[in-house]
Amino acid sequence: MFSSLHLFSQIACPKAESCTLPNCLFSHNVSVQDVQSKSSTVSSDTAPRHPALRDQLEADGDGPRKRRRLSTQEDESTATRSAAEGERAAKHEVDRPTRRETTPATAKRPISPPPLRTRPVPASTTKEASRTPAKAALRATETKPSHAPAPKAALPAESLNPRLLSKPPASHAFRTTVLSKIHDEFVRLNAENATSSDPPSGTHRPLSEQDLVKMALDEEERIALDQPVVYSNVIKQRLMRYKKMALPAWREHVLTLFPNTEPPKNEEAAVPAIQSNGTTPKELTTGLTTPEELSLLPRLLAPATELQKHGYTTTAPTEAEIGAARAGVEASQGWEVCDRCSTRFQVFPGRREEDGALASGGRCTYHWGKPYSASRDSGGKSSKATGGNKEKMYSCCSEPLGSSSSLGCVTATHHVYRFSSAPRLASLLPFIATPPNPEIPPADPPDHAVSLDCEMCYTVHGLEVVRVSATSWPDGAVLLDALVRPQGEILDLNSRFSGVWPEDLTTAPAYTSSLPSSSPLALLPNPSTARILLFTHLTPTTPLLGHGLENDLACLRILHPSVIDTAFLFPHPRGLPFRNGLKFLVRRFLGREIQGEHVTGGGEEGKKGGAVRGHDSVEDARAAGELVRVAVGREWKVLKRKGWTRVDEIEWVGVRPPGGAV
């Protein structure tokens, strides 16, 4: 047997007097008073101290278990038995060796109360109940340190260069070209917003240049990441969408990207320049009076040799040449080559008898823009300097030249054709030289000049005039502006460039001299009538100004000897057959934009009120006249260096400088 450690020597034996063990582990010398005192102590210790919990336990009736209470007789008998046992134990202890009594550490620990079986209380209620009013008041008055976010650092300005992608969907040159076009459309729409009649205030205020650059970069990057497989088609469609976008749609689009575009107080919003290319119109001054400018025009007249070199018809075809041209047309049976897609097709003047068709070959798919090659890369360096290859693209949709993915970006109803042979033109309408005008007396130098521009359309007879406009020079007053009914059936009005739409011809009133200038364009019955009206403002010596007038005069069948062509005055650096366009010359020398294809307002493409407007022949005629004034100013500077001076306002006398010739 193992020796007892007396761990239970301080605890009363549960069996008390009925215990028969000789060496019981429990104590048998505990008096009734000790038991009662310990019982009361345990009962008081196990009772909950918190009043609220004690009340809750009393209400539930589920408190700690009660100890058995001893009666008085049992107490006396128990005490007598305990005294006798005590004497026996004392004798037994005398015989035992003395042992040191040690109280275990566990007996000194306070007794933990039994777990309370209470209803579950929500955590929030318990947490709030545990807080004393003082602590709650203290926490309410505490102020936590504010951790306001630090102001973000200003982002660096981005350039108009496509963002770097791990897998770009197209070449860098193509992405740069499309990105530049999208940015140009954003600049145009932003400029329209700034100059619209509706004041751009609040959310309608114009955006800054950096905002426009970021918008273009985000748009291109989003398409490149979301739709890389069809990136080329999607980006072209998005570009056309912005080209057709109206001002209200642009404002709504900007509002979605920039919800808060209200400018800060005491700070004006940056309004971009009126011109979409970021330039301001240049002030045109020659330093001369109007009679002095007119007296210099004869020095700018193109010689007959130059006119022939540039495709002008200077003499009328003979009857034999006209007859041969007619025979050739009859032999061809109407077969022509499309001027847009180079497809062979057949035209039927007067319509085909079987089905009333005007042409065969079905619909025509083509690129309306001209091919071009970027002379500089995205970094501003020339392609020769960087060793890169020039990739030619179409200006309309930036599609690479010769690409098999797209045969065109626009579809027309018919194929069209054109020709420039003078005998064949004369077979439809004869050429006439400008006759003398008795109402305009001859003058040397001339006392007036006329700027001319015509718009053409495609018919079964090729290219015919559909609008004629003439303005006086240099003031730009309108002398003639009318629509013209072509001789043949119309295949395509070429509205993107001519600016003439079907409803213009169907709703135009007949031309009369009594029509007010504010009325819509009147309709002339045929090109011959338009030519007669133009002759009322001309004489053979009247300077006729324009850009590429060989086409305008050929459509009107006019032979005019006194021509000033801005294509001669500002030649292309590479020479013929290259020519500078009127739009380019006006942008370079006058600092403004003309021939805009887009106007403010909704509508579909192909409608006059829609996004595509086309050219304005009056605007083009005035622009050509202003370019002539630029040339007059340059000529006057050369003459002044040679010693020329003004004698009076209408006569010039050359003074020979010392040791030189005039």
Side-chain angles (χ1 to χ4, degrees), residues 404-426:
S404 59
S405 61
S406 176
L407 298 177
C409 58
V410 177
T411 301
T413 306
H414 298 103
H415 295 283
V416 296
Y417 76 103
R418 62 185 298 177
F419 58 89
S420 58
S421 171
R424 187 174 178 181
L425 290 172

Side-chain angles (χ1 to χ4, degrees), residues 132-143:
T132 60
K135 289 184 178 181
L138 180 61
R139 294 194 178 189
T141 56
E142 287 180 352
T143 56

